[in-house]
Amino acid sequence: MDKYNYGMVGLGVMGRNLLYNIADNGFSIAGFDLDEEKVKELQDGATSEMKVKGTVTLEDFVSALETPRKIILMVPAGKPVDAVLESITPLLSKGDIVIDAGNSYFKDTNRRVADLASKELHFMGMGVSGGEKGARTGPSIMPGGDLEAFHLLQPMLEAISAKVDNEACTAYMGKDSAGNYVKMVHNGIEYAIMQLISEAYDLLKRGANLNNDQLYQVFKEWNNGEMNSFLIEITRDIFHQKDSLTDGSLVDQILDKAGAKGTGKWTSEQAMEIGVSIPTIDIAVTSRILSAYKEERVQASQLYAKNEIATPENIELFIKEVGDALYLATLISYAQGLALLVKASEEYQFEIPLKDVVKIWRGGCIIRSVLLEKFYTAYSKDSNLSNILLDQDISVIVKDKISSLRKTASFAASNGISSLGIQTALGYFDAYTTESLPVNLIQAQRDYFGAHTYQRIDREGVFHTSWQTATH
Ligand code: 6PG
């Protein structure tokens, strides 16, 4: 009996869809899940052209695969991954490859790589983005780890991934857990963009009194131009969705408490750990936390009633400015996430190819946008760019939109409309583009009370001063 090319552990919607995608592309694949019902669903949903086999014991699953075995895990991050590894590794042979396609924490992946290497097995972390639909029709795939093992998977990954200009949205992301790291940062940027879009929505809704039909039109127009992206596109559609339980739009019935599974938080923690400034991503994480204080917010809104919002005189112009502000703040969020990847690549010796990262984010993933095309051009010119804001062509866009970002931030601030993402994007930009920051004073204070020393602008060395207490 012919052995199967690939194996998939975890047949939830993501696992099953990815499996069918692999089978659609002519590869044979066996699936395993502890839940026999899911195995049955897999068999029932497969077409007659697909070479698919469902298994209910790990022994059957492992023995159905050709060697070296190539086993993809699509199980929840954390303990479930370790549990699968514990039961499957004794059944594997030297050279077999286990690929974790979930949103695993990169440090867990490093530990697992070392653990499996001690058993002469390969373990790889592989980010997959695009949700359930993407998994089925073409996601963006971010594999990292052992290069030889990657080469064995490459033809399949290129076949199943999304395509932009006939180029596959998958590439080798670097050593060790680089695949998980890149996916984590992808999600951090995703959090920032979603935060910014929600703020633009609030400004248009409360600032310009647009209703959902008008919001639909605005997002439609935005999506048809330079702001074309997956997140703008689905936002457009959300404004069109009627509620099945009431007469209105569904979006108006959704409680304003945002959930989170943790990848955004990891991105912020990582940036703090290795010393990279990503304030718009940080604020997006913390805004979701703040949103959960619903009851307190209700109480505070009564205590601190706000003045009526001063509707802008020229609504058309206001909408354009909010659009430009959103575009630029989004660009700045990508800049922060990409800068984190640059530093992480050095810190952990991942050797992440930034040019390939933006290339494979152009399609399939949640943060896909036409803007990434411009980043791809920038990294094609200079693959060592430390921050995308330093690119000449990008600076032309920034200069064109910056006054809209300032006006929008100022409108929000003066009308008491919370716009944490927009404000931090602007604040980051202003700090990043300031030659002399006022932190000379912070250094003086640190030296004053703690003898922490300081450097000078006019000579080399480290200095400490016995600061004098002013007597009057
Ligand atoms: C993707 C998504 C996916 C998932 C997010 C949701 O790229 O396909 O990012 O990985 O939907 O992790 O994250 P939160 O639940 O934390 O918003």
Side-chain angles (χ1 to χ4, degrees):
M1 195 198 75
D2 279 354
K3 299 270 185 181
Y4 289 75
N5 305 138
Y6 287 90
M8 175 76 69
V9 176
L11 302 176
V13 187
M14 281 296 286
R16 188 173 68 224
N17 281 0
L18 200 62
L19 184 154
Y20 287 153
N21 184 355
I22 293 171
D24 272 344
N25 281 283
F27 301 94
S28 59
I29 179 160
F32 169 81
D33 199 290
L34 285 172
D35 180 351
E36 292 193 18
E37 195 52 40
K38 292 211 175 96
V39 177
K40 189 176 169 319
E41 280 171 26
L42 172 77
Q43 301 272 32
D44 293 348
T47 63
S48 55
E49 291 87 54
M50 293 178 180
K51 286 185 221 121
V52 166
K53 175 190 167 81
T55 56
V56 291
T57 69
L58 269 183
E59 287 74 14
D60 284 353
F61 172 71
V62 168
S63 61
L65 305 178
E66 66 181 26
T67 54
R69 297 183 182 87
K70 297 173 280 297
I71 299 171
I72 302 168
L73 310 186
M74 195 53 109
V75 296
K79 290 201 175 88
V81 176
D82 288 317
V84 172
L85 291 178
E86 207 181 312
S87 41
I88 206 170
T89 47
L91 306 173
L92 301 181
S93 343
K94 183 178 167 187
D96 285 353
I97 307 164
V98 181
I99 309 116
D100 178 9
N103 277 334
S104 287
Y105 188 51
F106 78 103
K107 289 184 183 174
D108 286 343
T109 297
N110 289 338
R111 167 176 56 79
R112 291 165 187 148
V113 168
D115 186 30
L116 266 71
S118 70
K119 297 169 183 145
E120 297 185 283
L121 302 170
H122 295 296
F123 184 81
M124 300 177 71
M126 181 173 87
V128 177
S129 177
E132 296 170 6
K133 197 162 164 227
R136 183 70 186 89
T137 57
S140 174
I141 308 178
M142 297 153 244
D146 186 272
L147 193 54
E148 271 180 45
F150 163 74
H151 285 310
L152 288 177
L153 307 172
Q154 195 175 9
M156 180 276 286
L157 296 179
E158 288 180 354
I160 68 165
S161 63
K163 309 287 177 302
V164 173
D165 298 337
N166 287 323
E167 288 185 292
C169 292
T170 184
Y172 179 67
M173 295 286 97
K175 294 180 182 166
D176 305 319
S177 53
N180 290 128
Y181 203 97
V182 170
K183 177 66 198 324
M184 175 189 79
V185 174
H186 165 285
N187 281 23
I189 297 171
E190 174 184 305
Y191 272 55
I193 300 174
M194 290 165 76
Q195 171 69 23
L196 293 167
I197 294 176
S198 74
E199 291 174 11
Y201 156 58
D202 203 19
L203 283 162
L204 297 179
K205 183 180 164 187
R206 292 200 290 148
N209 297 315
L210 299 197
N211 62 30
N212 289 325
D213 289 338
Q214 292 165 319
L215 286 164
Y216 171 85
Q217 286 304 332
V218 170
F219 275 79
K220 183 176 164 187
E221 220 164 280
W222 286 353
N223 194 51
N224 288 341
E226 62 186 3
M227 292 171 76
N228 175 271
S229 73
F230 174 73
L231 287 168
I232 294 285
E233 181 189 319
I234 64 162
T235 308
R236 173 200 68 193
D237 295 347
I238 286 168
F239 293 124
H240 218 233
Q241 183 79 43
K242 296 284 165 237
D243 182 24
S244 58
L245 302 175
T246 64
D247 287 341
S249 301
L250 177 56
V251 68
D252 294 332
Q253 300 304 326
I254 295 179
L255 182 66
D256 53 332
K257 278 186 183 178
K261 292 206 197 76
T263 45
K265 186 181 107 186
W266 293 343
T267 311
S268 278
E269 286 173 347
Q270 253 307 291
M272 290 287 172
E273 192 171 319
I274 66 172
V276 183
S277 177
I278 57 161
T280 314
I281 295 174
D282 298 335
I283 216 78
V285 176
T286 202
S287 289
R288 292 197 189 183
I289 296 173
L290 184 58
S291 78
Y293 310 164
K294 177 72 183 180
E295 294 72 21
E296 278 180 54
R297 287 192 286 113
V298 171
Q299 210 183 329
S301 72
Q302 285 152 6
L303 185 58
Y304 300 100
K306 294 195 169 95
N307 292 337
E308 206 174 307
I309 293 166
T311 309
E313 274 171 32
N314 185 337
I315 298 287
E316 283 302 306
L317 180 65
F318 178 74
I319 295 171
K320 185 184 175 324
E321 282 168 358
V322 171
D324 283 352
L326 173 58
Y327 183 80
L328 179 52
T330 299
L331 188 155
I332 292 169
S333 305
Y334 280 113
Q336 294 171 15
L338 291 166
L340 174 57
L341 287 181
V342 172
K343 182 74 187 293
S345 191
E346 285 166 21
E347 185 80 19
Y348 303 115
Q349 283 110 45
F350 282 143
E351 296 176 22
I352 297 172
L354 263 287
K355 183 181 152 199
D356 288 340
V357 172
V358 293
K359 178 181 157 190
I360 70 167
W361 283 353
R362 292 177 308 161
C365 66
I366 304 297
I367 64 168
R368 64 182 183 259
S369 69
V370 289
L371 187 52
L372 283 157
E373 203 65 58
K374 298 193 192 305
F375 298 163
Y376 184 41
T377 308
Y379 286 116
S380 302
K381 282 185 288 173
D382 178 4
S383 57
N384 292 318
L385 203 54
S386 54
N387 192 309
I388 200 78
L389 292 171
L390 294 174
D391 177 74
Q392 280 298 329
D393 294 334
I394 297 294
S395 77
V396 174
I397 305 175
V398 175
K399 287 176 193 167
D400 180 49
K401 313 274 185 203
I402 189 67
S403 80
S404 289
L405 182 55
R406 292 193 193 289
K407 283 186 202 155
T408 303
S410 138
F411 177 88
S414 55
N415 283 288
I417 299 177
S418 171
S419 57
L420 289 163
I422 288 171
Q423 306 291 346
T424 50
L426 179 61
Y428 172 86
F429 174 78
D430 282 337
Y432 184 70
T433 55
T434 294
E435 187 182 331
S436 297
L437 288 171
V439 296
N440 50 334
L441 186 60
I442 294 176
Q443 286 298 77
Q445 291 163 334
R446 291 177 69 242
D447 193 57
Y448 189 121
F449 63 66
H452 293 299
T453 74
Y454 54 89
Q455 290 175 285
R456 296 180 57 98
I457 56 172
D458 58 349
R459 64 200 69 195
E460 290 291 310
V462 173
F463 298 84
H464 168 59
T465 296
S466 273
W467 297 84
Q468 302 296 309
T469 308
T471 48
H472 54 270

